[in-house]
Amino acid sequence: MHKVGDSKFTLVAVTAIRAREINEYYNGLGSGHGALIPPQVTSLSNKSLSLAMEELYQGKLEFHRPTPEELEGERLQAEALEQARQDANSDLDAFTDALRDA
């Protein structure tokens, strides 16, 4: 995991993503979404971006920058899933064609 201080772009991107997560947490209260993480700081501000920035300032935000190998692995996995989906559709098409021809 990396700290978020290596570039301004990273700082903005990570805090914006976390602010969206905080918004989703507050919007999802009572709806049964248990996977959302509540704000990790106590603050007088009720604004999600301010909460995310405070989490960053207190060192509670970290991120993982994927390596080229990890990115390639994700790409290959996505290709395999797409190929499996196409194969399943092809099998279904052959089945429906056989039914139609019968």
Side-chain angles (χ1 to χ4, degrees), residues 59-92:
K60 298 188 180 203
L61 280 185
E62 293 182 346
F63 76 104
H64 173 72
R65 181 170 287 141
T67 64
E69 293 82 19
E70 290 172 328
L71 292 173
E72 180 65 13
E74 287 179 12
R75 185 187 69 74
L76 291 173
Q77 184 179 16
E79 283 182 3
L81 287 172
E82 178 61 22
Q83 185 62 44
R85 187 189 64 76
Q86 288 176 358
D87 291 346
N89 284 344
S90 169
D91 291 344
L92 184 58

Side-chain angles (χ1 to χ4, degrees), residues 9 11-28 36-39 47-53 55 61:
F9 176 81
L11 176 123
V12 170
V14 170
T15 53
I17 290 167
R18 179 61 183 139
R20 281 190 219 107
E21 290 173 352
I22 292 170
N23 270 339
E24 289 174 13
Y25 170 77
Y26 284 126
N27 291 336
L36 300 173
I37 300 170
K47 297 183 175 159
S48 58
L49 187 57
S50 297
L51 289 167
M53 287 291 207
E55 286 181 354
L61 280 185

